[in-house]
Amino acid sequence: MSLPAGFAGDVVRPSNSERAKYTIGWIAPMPIELAPARALLDHVTTLHVANDSNIYLAGRIGDHHVVMVTLDRIGLSAIPSVAAGMYASFRNLKHLLLVGLGGGIPEYAHGEQMVLGDVVVSSQVEHLDCGRRTPNGFEYTRQTYWPSEALLKAVNTLRSTHSLQGNRIRETLHEIRQKLQRSIWENPEDLGPDADRLFDPGYHHRDDAALCEDCCDPGRSKSREKRGPKAHRETDSPRVHYGPIGSGNSLVVGSKERENLYKEFRTICFEMEAAALMEYRCLVIRGISDYSDCHKNKEWQPYAAATAAAYGHELIMSLPAPVHAVNYNPYQTPAMNNEGSSTSRDWDPVDTAGLHRLNSKTGHVHWTVYRSRNPLFTGRDDILRALEAKIRDAVKGPSNPDQCSIVISGMGGQGKSEICLQLAYRVRQSFWGVFWVDVSATSLAKNDFLNIAKKLGIHAESTEEAQQGLANVKQSCLLVLDNADDPNVDYQCYFPAGLSGVVLLTSRNAECHRYANPPELALELEGLSQSDAREILLHATNTPREQWHTFQDAAQEVATLLQSHALALVQAGAYISRAHCTIAEYPRVFNRQRKQLLKFRPTQAKSRYGDVYTTFEASAAFLQLSQEEAAKDALQLLSMLGIFAASQLPLQRLFEEGWKGAQRMFPSNSSDDESNRSDNKSNSSDDRSKSNDDESNSNDDDELYVLTPWHVSHIPPLLHADADAWDPFRLIEAVQLLKSFSLVSVCTDDKLLSVSMHPLTNAWALDRLDPAAKHNAWLATGCLVAVSLHDDGFWSKLGWQFQPHLRALTSLDTDVMFASEPPTEILSIITKCGKLLYGMRDDAKLKELIDNLMVYLNLDPLIVNARWLPMYNLLGWNLINNGKSKEAASLWEQVVQIKEQTLAKDHQDRLASQHNLAYTYLENRQVENAVSLLEKVVQIREQTLAEDHPDRLGSQHELASAYRENGQVKRSISLLEQVVQIRERTLAKNHPDRLASQHELARAYQVNGQVERALSLLEQVVQIKERTLAKDHPNRLVSQHNLATMFWDIGRREDALQLMKHVVKIRRKVLDECHPGRTDSERWLALFEHQMAIDLWEVGRRDDALQLIKHVVEIEKKVLDKCHPDLTLSEKQLAFFEHEIAIDLWEVGRREDALQLIEQAVEIRRKVLDESDPNRIKSQKRLESFKNEMLKSTAAESRET
């Protein structure tokens, strides 16, 4: 960033020691804002630092050295590179100010008035670009940043001074004007109240090319006088306002938007740069030049810029004078400069004899570690003890031991550098010198090595010369090479040949393990232990140690949420310590504001990168700087992995299936789009082959399910969709590159790559994307998944691994999914994913997806829209799976009506809809309607489709189920045996359709009394499902349920009971209380336990029988009506048990227990038996007898007393 005309003088290249004295940074976004600031500097110099594109104005304000810079353009995007360059060049900066122009809110709080020329100082900054667009407008997500505590304290101190003595802005403005008289810049004059007009809300500027005074009606505005006494200002006496400042990438140019933002965030000023600076905890000072409406007023800009600069000047003058240490250098903190500070007096830097004198020294002499230990460092004791022992062993023995090299790798933020710091402090007395080199960039490494050479009195002008000088030192040294993260760099070049001592290297790249010597000194750093994670969190929250025991559970929940990631836990603790939430509330806040929390920076105990997201972004920066194809592929793959979940993903297999799917529809493989569409439609239909175990073979032929070359064109280039053969080279290279930065973990299964991510890395990979990039990543990912669906076998085999990824893919906002793409093309992706969710029986997620789509497309879920029939098909099946068969029947009756009006009787789409409706009738116990409709469908399909066509078999399967429900068991068995025979011949053993028909045939055998055949077939089905499906998969559970009932029928009661308990346990976790599948299993379990209770009673295990029948009643009260016969029967059994056991207890003297039980028996029998029932009368008499006996005993005891 070069300086504008009128600023630059002779450019000076400052030395390290010169740069070290600057402690305050000042950014003025525009030249007009830099002019008054420059006028306030004493001893002004123009500076340029090597490898920094910025040009700086530097000078003094009071006791402080200040460096200033301006931007080449306004807006958030211009800020990061300028600020990064400033902080890289001037490493001792303690404070950063952003000073310039802003738009103000004319009235706020309790009638406070802001006028042009006033100053606003930030208490916090609200980022106004965070949120999403909804049909109701932009919905903001709050993202707040605060200045540093030191600056806030200085502001509050100065504010209190102003309240007593007033500010010095008037005097400072006079000084600015005097200096600007001799420059090309316009003098900043107070234009007075007549030039300050506040136009009415809603009155718009009439001509963008003209000034307000030339085109706007002054009668539609207010003067300061009309705004009241709080708007009055003496000349050059602006007021200073304190409050939130709003920052975004576009100007606020409307009174309505201004007021809405004030209501939302209480922001009193608006600008365009601050949000990009908040990682530096800067203070924002803005002079008000307009009212953030469409009536912009450039005439006030010079004066407003000057008032802001005047306040900034007064604030700096109020800060304590900085303390500069002797021999200060920009790579050390003041506390570290005193250590070994006598080095420069030991020899002449150009005296070679000095090296001999240096080598004769013993003990600890040199220390160039420029970081202090983090007071929150916790745990890693086993690692530290082991490494410390290795290091001490390495420096024992011969005077010149072999070089020992230790490598610590791991993802960013896990504490690699902190471990090195801890080790350096622990072993420093064992070494003559301890030296720290940042090798994250060549320039930094060079500066650090040259600094070491200078400290040792070695003349060196290059890294190599400095390393050679260090290698010539005979004393033992510890050299730390930190941040060796670039996979394209051979870091062996930083190992001084022949160095006596130990080299300690940190890297995110596990391939750096090859530098370890011996090899066993390579260490992969993982998350903290649970106890250490809780401790670091509680320490960071400033919770008193004596209270830690009360927060253990809450702390563990946070530690688990953050996967024991060290830096994330420190950030969480800092957030909690600022009273933003409690430890217990943090998980809920995290789920709502994840990005804000993971970018929240602690004010104390900071890490090198400040926050979790920044440490991950440092890895991405390497990829962004590279021009290599693999780096570009890796960045795109990283974005796609952010769309997926963090768990293991069979990535190579997914890409290979995507390539195969693309070949089927690639333009070169079909004559045109229409023929491609017909090819896709020829193999699909809208029906599902479904047994009573909720399995299906559902395919829809509507346009929304058809993929086209448009989808192939959006698949990522590294797939090579147009290649003649599948080649995973680019994919593997991209994965390995991400692995080298510890952004992904890789495993190889059947010689195919699978990847996973740390949950925080996965969250960052998504959150780092702006809305457009997020949409592009979603589109590439969605197209890949949709195109890969050509092979049902692939998804049936590995679908369970993809479930979390599919859930993540369909969880993004619909605005992100659709953006400006053709709706039907996006819906073809989403409905494909919906079908997968349906096949996986992820009913809750599918319902959420459908609900979101219905809202986005403005559809009524109860009234079918003919344009979106596939959506309603999905909705219908989802309703069935959620136990809402009546609502599903209503939907499909509408669908059938639409198709019967438009399609021929034998059209497969019409038949498919009729099939679906018939199945819904069957679920809804309208068995005769189901049989009638299915017989028509089967008749037509048997005439028009081959005997092994999936749709024909599916309808025959469903008709057989209907026959069984209708009591036509033999017809059911005959038809099912035919279907099973064909499916066993054409489908794999674990194919869902084959298993579904075998399951249904087993049930028919059971009803027909062929128990042995039924049991053999069903056990085979369950065995396969238990091997191929997750424990909570509905299809697995329903087969286990039916097998349990079969066990019961053949007398294997204990097996039946245990299996049904297993089914109920899982269904209670995954299904709602009223779901038919859950209540059905609970009723069967109650039936089993009821009978088992009777069996236990008969063998004399009365207490066990009582507890079991109590459990039965408890279940049936939840799943049955109050007057249901089964519940009544169980309650009668419970009352009988209680009555009989009460008598037993009475006879052995346990009278209180007996009385309690007989009272319960009486209460139940009063509810379920008539007044004249002998059992009810018997219990009542027994109760009266017990009470009378106890009264007599009590009276007798009283007389004796």
Side-chain angles (χ1 to χ4, degrees):
M1 174 64 225
S2 59
L3 290 174
F7 286 106
D10 293 336
V11 178
V12 175
R13 292 187 179 274
S15 65
N16 287 349
S17 59
E18 280 294 312
R19 285 186 276 151
K21 67 187 181 183
Y22 291 97
T23 58
I24 297 178
W26 181 309
I27 296 180
M30 296 190 297
I32 197 173
E33 298 160 316
L34 183 62
R38 187 240 183 269
L40 294 171
L41 283 178
D42 296 326
H43 312 297
V44 183
T45 309
T46 305
L47 302 181
H48 179 242
V49 180
N51 300 318
D52 185 352
S53 60
N54 296 331
I55 303 293
Y56 301 96
L57 287 176
R60 290 178 65 111
I61 294 179
D63 295 325
H64 301 272
H65 288 82
V66 182
V67 58
M68 297 180 173
V69 70
T70 189
L71 309 179
D72 57 359
R73 63 189 185 279
I74 61 173
L76 297 180
S77 62
I79 281 282
S81 60
V82 171
M86 175 184 277
Y87 269 80
S89 297
F90 301 93
R91 295 198 177 188
N92 283 341
L93 294 181
K94 306 299 182 189
H95 310 295
L96 181 63
L97 306 181
L98 176 64
V99 187
L101 302 172
I105 188 160
E107 182 175 343
Y108 69 97
H110 302 293
E112 287 296 323
Q113 297 289 320
M114 190 181 300
V115 304
L116 301 184
D118 279 358
V119 177
V120 175
V121 181
S122 65
S123 62
Q124 64 203 59
V125 171
E126 300 288 349
H127 193 175
L128 303 182
D129 291 330
C130 299
R132 62 175 184 168
R133 300 207 171 273
T134 69
N136 298 323
F138 193 80
E139 204 174 85
Y140 290 96
T141 300
R142 190 152 198 166
Q143 191 160 325
T144 306
Y145 310 95
W146 290 269
S148 68
E149 289 186 4
L151 286 172
L152 286 175
K153 288 177 181 177
V155 167
N156 288 336
T157 301
L158 187 60
R159 187 175 182 181
S160 65
T161 302
H162 288 171
S163 67
L164 297 173
Q165 305 172 6
N167 62 55
R168 292 185 51 78
I169 293 179
R170 181 196 294 265
E171 293 81 354
T172 310
L173 287 171
H174 177 69
E175 181 182 343
I176 291 173
R177 291 184 185 119
Q178 282 188 322
K179 292 189 177 180
L180 288 183
Q181 282 178 349
R182 300 185 295 275
S183 73
I184 64 172
W185 295 99
E186 182 179 350
N187 240 338
E189 296 295 339
D190 186 344
L191 301 180
D194 293 339
D196 184 354
R197 310 293 299 186
L198 174 61
F199 284 90
D200 297 340
Y203 179 69
H204 298 294
H205 189 71
R206 292 306 181 204
D207 185 353
D208 290 341
L211 298 174
C212 282
E213 60 190 44
D214 298 327
C215 68
C216 293
D217 180 6
R220 300 294 301 275
S221 67
K222 288 182 181 179
S223 65
R224 288 186 188 175
E225 183 179 1
K226 290 183 178 180
R227 292 170 60 185
K230 289 188 176 182
H232 175 71
R233 302 286 188 274
E234 297 290 341
T235 302
D236 284 343
S237 299
R239 287 186 184 171
V240 182
H241 307 262
Y242 304 88
I245 289 180
S247 180
N249 233 334
S250 57
L251 286 171
V252 176
V253 291
S255 56
K256 182 178 179 181
E257 183 182 6
R258 175 192 70 202
E259 298 302 323
N260 287 339
L261 289 171
Y262 174 69
K263 291 177 183 177
E264 179 89 13
F265 300 111
R266 314 309 288 177
T267 42
I268 63 173
C269 174
F270 305 94
E271 51 89 86
M272 294 177 60
E273 288 85 23
L277 271 179
M278 284 303 105
E279 64 179 280
Y280 302 98
R281 307 295 302 276
C282 80
L283 183 73
V284 185
I285 304 168
R286 293 292 184 175
I288 302 306
S289 60
D290 59 65
Y291 291 116
S292 293
D293 54 15
C294 54
H295 303 279
K296 298 298 178 185
N297 197 332
K298 291 190 176 182
E299 290 182 346
W300 277 93
Q301 287 184 352
Y303 182 71
T307 60
Y311 178 87
H313 176 272
E314 187 174 359
L315 178 69
I316 292 174
M317 293 291 287
S318 72
L319 293 172
V323 178
H324 293 288
V326 180
N327 296 328
Y328 203 92
N329 74 71
Y331 303 102
Q332 291 180 297
T333 62
M336 299 170 188
N337 279 296
N338 294 328
E339 304 202 37
S341 60
S342 62
T343 302
S344 61
R345 296 194 299 273
D346 287 338
W347 66 87
D348 186 331
V350 296
D351 179 12
T352 56
L355 188 58
H356 174 74
R357 294 195 298 273
L358 174 142
N359 284 331
S360 67
K361 287 185 174 288
T362 59
H364 176 67
V365 177
H366 296 289
W367 176 264
T368 64
V369 179
Y370 54 85
R371 292 175 57 184
S372 57
R373 286 178 290 184
N374 192 319
L376 296 180
F377 184 86
T378 302
R380 310 291 194 190
D381 289 334
D382 53 342
I383 295 174
L384 287 168
R385 281 195 300 269
L387 292 180
E388 183 179 354
K390 292 290 185 183
I391 290 172
R392 293 192 188 280
D393 289 344
V395 297
K396 288 179 181 178
S399 57
N400 294 310
D402 292 336
Q403 188 180 105
C404 169
S405 303
I406 300 172
V407 176
I408 304 175
S409 68
M411 68 183 297
Q414 289 284 37
K416 301 182 295 294
S417 299
E418 291 298 333
I419 286 178
C420 290
L421 278 170
Q422 297 291 328
L423 277 172
Y425 277 91
R426 287 188 180 201
V427 302
R428 61 187 299 180
Q429 296 303 326
S430 300
F431 292 97
W432 173 82
V434 178
F435 307 110
W436 193 287
V437 178
D438 185 346
V439 295
S440 60
T442 304
S443 58
L444 293 178
K446 179 180 179 180
N447 285 339
D448 284 350
F449 272 115
L450 292 178
N451 178 52
I452 293 170
K454 182 178 180 181
K455 194 169 184 66
L456 299 181
I458 300 170
H459 178 72
E461 294 183 355
S462 67
T463 302
E464 292 75 14
E465 290 177 356
Q467 289 176 313
Q468 185 60 46
L470 186 58
N472 289 333
V473 174
K474 301 307 179 186
Q475 274 70 25
S476 185
C477 300
L478 173 63
L479 175 63
V480 180
L481 302 177
D482 194 23
N483 303 310
D485 300 329
D486 191 340
N488 297 315
V489 174
D490 183 0
Y491 289 100
Q492 189 67 52
C493 67
Y494 292 123
F495 286 66
L499 176 72
S500 297
V502 177
V503 176
L504 191 55
L505 180 141
T506 71
S507 177
R508 302 181 185 201
N509 186 359
E511 292 184 6
C512 284
H513 285 184
R514 67 178 184 269
Y515 301 127
N517 181 33
E520 59 265 24
L521 293 185
L523 170 68
E524 180 75 24
L525 196 63
E526 298 179 349
L528 294 164
S529 68
Q530 290 189 358
S531 59
D532 289 340
R534 292 194 301 269
E535 181 175 343
I536 197 172
L537 174 68
L538 292 169
H539 194 175
T541 60
N542 294 323
T543 302
R545 186 174 288 271
E546 60 270 16
Q547 298 178 15
W548 282 11
H549 68 280
T550 62
F551 296 101
Q552 288 297 309
D553 291 343
Q556 182 59 54
E557 187 176 357
V558 175
T560 302
L561 175 71
L562 300 178
Q563 295 288 297
S564 298
H565 187 280
L567 179 53
L569 290 165
V570 171
Q571 284 179 245
Y575 188 85
I576 293 165
S577 71
R578 295 278 288 268
H580 294 299
C581 68
T582 65
I583 300 176
E585 292 169 343
Y586 187 88
R588 177 177 53 81
V589 177
F590 180 91
N591 290 330
R592 192 176 67 246
Q593 303 176 24
R594 179 183 69 195
K595 184 175 181 179
Q596 176 180 326
L597 266 59
L598 292 179
K599 289 181 73 67
F600 183 85
R601 296 190 160 200
T603 57
Q604 304 297 325
K606 298 179 184 178
S607 76
R608 176 176 186 259
Y609 294 99
D611 62 70
V612 171
Y613 275 12
T614 303
T615 190
F616 295 155
E617 197 64 44
S619 297
F622 283 107
L623 298 174
Q624 291 166 334
L625 292 173
S626 175
Q627 297 301 312
E628 295 182 2
E629 180 182 71
K632 296 177 181 177
D633 288 344
L635 281 171
Q636 183 172 35
L637 184 58
L638 178 65
S639 300
M640 295 175 66
L641 292 176
I643 300 296
F644 282 132
S647 57
Q648 185 169 317
L649 172 69
L651 191 66
Q652 188 172 346
R653 185 68 188 274
L654 174 63
F655 269 73
E656 183 176 356
E657 293 303 321
W659 178 84
K660 291 177 181 177
Q663 295 302 297
R664 297 162 64 97
M665 63 183 69
F666 205 77
S668 61
N669 297 332
S670 59
S671 59
D672 53 40
D673 284 4
E674 287 304 314
S675 66
N676 192 52
R677 284 183 179 272
S678 64
D679 288 344
N680 274 276
K681 292 176 72 171
S682 65
N683 293 321
S684 64
S685 71
D686 182 19
D687 71 347
R688 86 182 191 171
S689 167
K690 180 171 175 72
S691 72
N692 283 353
D693 64 349
D694 293 340
E695 299 187 53
S696 71
N697 178 30
S698 168
N699 295 304
D700 291 277
D701 66 342
D702 302 80
E703 182 180 1
L704 294 187
Y705 281 129
V706 180
L707 300 177
T708 71
W710 182 91
H711 297 92
V712 178
S713 70
H714 287 87
I715 292 176
L718 60 89
L719 184 77
H720 271 317
D722 56 347
D724 294 334
W726 162 241
D727 183 0
F729 176 79
R730 284 180 66 176
L731 174 65
I732 294 173
E733 286 294 294
V735 169
Q736 293 297 341
L737 196 50
L738 292 177
K739 178 190 174 186
S740 70
F741 289 107
S742 293
L743 294 175
V744 300
S745 297
V746 177
C747 71
T748 303
D749 186 16
D750 294 331
K751 298 182 180 180
L752 296 175
L753 280 180
S754 292
V755 303
S756 59
M757 302 180 82
H758 190 285
L760 297 182
T761 314
N762 178 252
W764 158 78
L766 178 63
D767 291 343
R768 70 187 297 266
L769 304 176
D770 61 35
K774 192 175 293 185
H775 166 72
N776 292 334
W778 182 90
L779 185 58
T781 308
C783 287
L784 174 63
V785 170
V787 170
S788 73
L789 291 176
H790 69 95
D791 182 2
D792 289 339
F794 164 62
W795 282 96
S796 63
K797 180 179 179 181
L798 294 176
W800 63 272
Q801 287 186 320
F802 283 96
Q803 186 169 1
H805 304 288
L806 198 62
R807 289 176 65 89
L809 178 64
T810 53
S811 292
L812 266 67
D813 290 341
T814 46
D815 289 338
V816 173
M817 297 180 187
F818 283 88
S820 57
E821 309 291 351
T824 53
E825 305 292 6
I826 298 299
L827 276 169
S828 64
I829 299 171
I830 298 175
T831 47
K832 286 279 186 183
C833 294
K835 285 184 63 181
L836 278 178
L837 289 171
Y838 165 73
M840 295 170 179
R841 284 301 307 272
D842 196 339
D843 301 326
K845 185 61 195 176
L846 180 56
K847 182 180 185 303
E848 178 187 317
L849 176 63
I850 293 171
D851 289 346
N852 290 339
L853 289 174
M854 289 287 177
V855 172
Y856 183 82
L857 297 171
N858 197 26
L859 298 176
D860 188 336
L862 301 179
I863 302 176
V864 174
N865 185 314
R867 184 185 177 192
W868 311 108
L869 288 182
M871 293 236 339
Y872 286 93
N873 286 331
L874 276 177
L875 175 58
W877 293 122
N878 186 245
L879 288 171
I880 287 286
N881 286 344
N882 283 301
K884 299 181 179 180
S885 55
K886 292 182 180 179
E887 293 90 334
S890 173
L891 281 183
W892 269 315
E893 284 172 344
Q894 296 177 59
V895 172
V896 167
Q897 185 178 6
I898 291 171
K899 293 195 174 183
E900 286 180 347
Q901 292 172 354
T902 57
L903 300 176
K905 289 184 178 181
D906 60 352
H907 195 287
Q908 291 303 316
D909 290 0
R910 172 171 171 170
L911 294 171
S913 298
Q914 291 170 331
H915 173 110
N916 292 342
L917 178 58
Y919 172 76
T920 311
Y921 283 154
L922 196 57
E923 286 288 303
N924 211 27
R925 302 300 177 188
Q926 297 171 266
V927 179
E928 292 182 0
N929 291 345
V931 170
S932 174
L933 190 53
L934 280 168
E935 284 179 335
K936 294 176 183 177
V937 172
V938 167
Q939 183 181 6
I940 296 173
R941 284 187 161 172
E942 287 178 345
Q943 295 171 355
T944 58
L945 299 177
E947 70 168 8
D948 61 351
H949 194 285
D951 297 345
R952 171 174 169 171
L953 292 171
S955 294
Q956 290 172 329
H957 171 114
E958 214 58 67
L959 177 58
S961 299
Y963 282 153
R964 178 180 56 77
E965 290 288 338
N966 203 38
Q968 300 167 272
V969 181
K970 291 185 178 179
R971 295 191 68 179
S972 173
I973 290 175
S974 174
L975 188 53
L976 276 170
E977 286 178 333
Q978 174 186 334
V979 171
V980 167
Q981 184 180 14
I982 295 173
R983 283 182 164 171
E984 287 179 344
R985 189 176 69 242
T986 59
L987 299 178
K989 286 185 178 181
N990 63 347
H991 194 286
D993 296 347
R994 173 172 170 169
L995 293 172
S997 295
Q998 289 171 330
H999 178 114
E1000 183 60 29
L1001 179 57
R1003 296 195 67 191
Y1005 283 152
Q1006 182 183 16
V1007 173
N1008 200 43
Q1010 299 169 266
V1011 179
E1012 289 186 5
R1013 295 189 69 180
L1015 182 63
S1016 174
L1017 187 55
L1018 191 55
E1019 282 185 317
Q1020 174 188 330
V1021 170
V1022 169
Q1023 187 178 16
I1024 294 174
K1025 287 184 177 180
E1026 287 180 343
R1027 194 170 62 244
T1028 58
L1029 299 178
K1031 286 184 179 181
D1032 60 352
H1033 195 289
N1035 296 347
R1036 172 173 169 171
L1037 291 171
V1038 79
S1039 291
Q1040 290 172 327
H1041 171 106
N1042 288 334
L1043 181 59
T1045 64
M1046 204 171 290
F1047 283 156
W1048 186 265
D1049 288 346
I1050 63 173
R1052 292 171 57 179
R1053 293 191 170 187
E1054 189 60 37
D1055 291 337
L1057 182 63
Q1058 295 307 316
L1059 187 55
M1060 192 61 77
K1061 281 183 176 179
H1062 168 77
V1063 172
V1064 168
K1065 180 180 178 182
I1066 296 178
R1067 282 186 161 173
R1068 282 176 174 171
K1069 290 181 180 178
V1070 298
L1071 299 178
D1072 294 334
E1073 285 188 8
C1074 58
H1075 192 285
R1078 171 174 169 174
T1079 57
D1080 190 34
S1081 294
E1082 287 177 326
R1083 288 184 62 184
W1084 274 96
L1085 178 60
L1087 172 66
F1088 292 175
E1089 290 185 334
H1090 187 128
Q1091 187 58 50
M1092 293 285 283
I1094 295 173
D1095 294 345
L1096 290 170
W1097 183 270
E1098 290 177 352
V1099 297
R1101 293 173 58 185
R1102 293 191 166 195
D1103 287 340
D1104 293 337
L1106 177 63
Q1107 295 307 315
L1108 199 53
I1109 200 66
K1110 281 183 176 180
H1111 187 237
V1112 170
V1113 170
E1114 182 183 330
I1115 292 174
E1116 291 181 339
K1117 282 183 176 179
K1118 292 179 180 178
V1119 301
L1120 301 177
D1121 292 334
K1122 291 181 180 180
C1123 300
H1124 196 282
D1126 290 349
L1127 175 58
T1128 302
L1129 181 63
S1130 297
E1131 288 179 319
K1132 287 179 180 178
Q1133 195 70 55
L1134 173 59
F1136 170 75
F1137 287 176
E1138 288 176 334
H1139 180 106
E1140 294 298 319
I1141 293 176
I1143 295 173
D1144 294 342
L1145 292 173
W1146 184 269
E1147 291 177 351
V1148 296
R1150 293 174 56 185
R1151 295 191 167 192
E1152 293 289 344
D1153 295 335
L1155 182 63
Q1156 183 179 357
L1157 272 185
I1158 199 66
E1159 285 176 339
Q1160 293 173 3
V1162 167
E1163 182 181 351
I1164 294 172
R1165 284 178 163 175
R1166 281 176 179 168
K1167 184 175 71 172
V1168 300
L1169 299 178
D1170 295 333
E1171 287 184 11
S1172 59
D1173 189 282
N1175 289 321
R1176 174 172 172 174
I1177 295 170
K1178 187 190 299 184
S1179 291
Q1180 288 172 332
K1181 287 183 176 180
R1182 181 67 65 175
L1183 175 60
E1184 291 170 4
S1185 171
F1186 284 179
K1187 286 182 176 180
N1188 290 333
E1189 287 293 325
M1190 291 185 76
L1191 285 173
K1192 290 178 182 178
S1193 297
T1194 303
E1197 290 173 1
S1198 298
R1199 284 196 301 271
E1200 290 177 5
T1201 303

